[in-house]
Amino acid sequence: LGVPKVITPEQFTDPTLDPISMMTYLTYFQYAIPSGNPLAGISAAGPGIVGDKANKETNFVIRGRIPDWAPLAINITAPNGNKVNFQQMQRVTSSTAIRYTPPIPGNYIIEVLVNKEHIKGSPFTAHHI
């Protein structure tokens, strides 16, 4: 799980163990990395991923627990190759909202990367009319 073993199971059962030490150690597990790909459960959904109207603000949500150690990168490319500015709403434990306004009609390429790896389905093609 990626949690340092600073307290042994035997110490946990020792009644003289300081309760604060035990609670502190248990907090490490909120950042534990499950075996396999920790990014497998992250996905994106919303009109900004599939398509909407050009010149109208649209959005999408990235769902799933993104570890604090894993940087989130988003690239939105317009049909003419220009990068599109976006706003990332506050990142919370299980979701991150992204807002942007496609300036022209056409197909937009949206890349969502966590720890430099594409999430499931990325890159997305959103057709804005």
Side-chain angles (χ1 to χ4, degrees):
L1 294 175
V3 175
K5 190 174 183 181
V6 294
I7 298 178
T8 66
E10 293 78 21
Q11 289 172 314
F12 256 96
T13 59
D14 184 346
T16 62
L17 178 66
D18 174 28
I20 301 296
S21 297
M22 184 184 300
M23 289 186 295
T24 302
Y25 181 63
L26 291 174
T27 62
Y28 287 128
F29 285 89
Q30 69 181 331
Y31 304 109
I33 304 166
S35 58
N37 183 356
L39 310 178
I42 300 171
S43 63
I49 288 292
V50 293
D52 209 342
K53 294 181 180 175
N55 294 309
K56 176 186 167 227
E57 185 177 272
T58 189
N59 63 73
F60 62 94
V61 176
I62 302 164
R63 292 190 179 108
R65 186 179 178 282
I66 299 172
D68 290 335
W69 53 263
L72 174 64
I74 296 160
N75 299 307
I76 303 173
T77 307
N80 61 7
N82 291 340
K83 296 293 182 190
V84 177
N85 293 327
F86 62 89
Q87 291 180 314
Q88 177 179 329
M89 309 319 287
Q90 185 168 349
R91 182 170 148 180
V92 294
T93 304
S94 60
S95 68
T96 301
I98 305 297
R99 293 188 311 194
Y100 71 99
T101 302
I104 59 175
N107 290 329
Y108 287 70
I109 304 300
I110 300 159
E111 297 176 299
V112 180
L113 300 102
V114 176
N115 201 33
K116 299 181 182 178
E117 292 183 37
H118 285 279
I119 67 167
K120 182 180 178 182
S122 177
F124 302 92
T125 300
H127 183 71
H128 296 289
I129 54 174

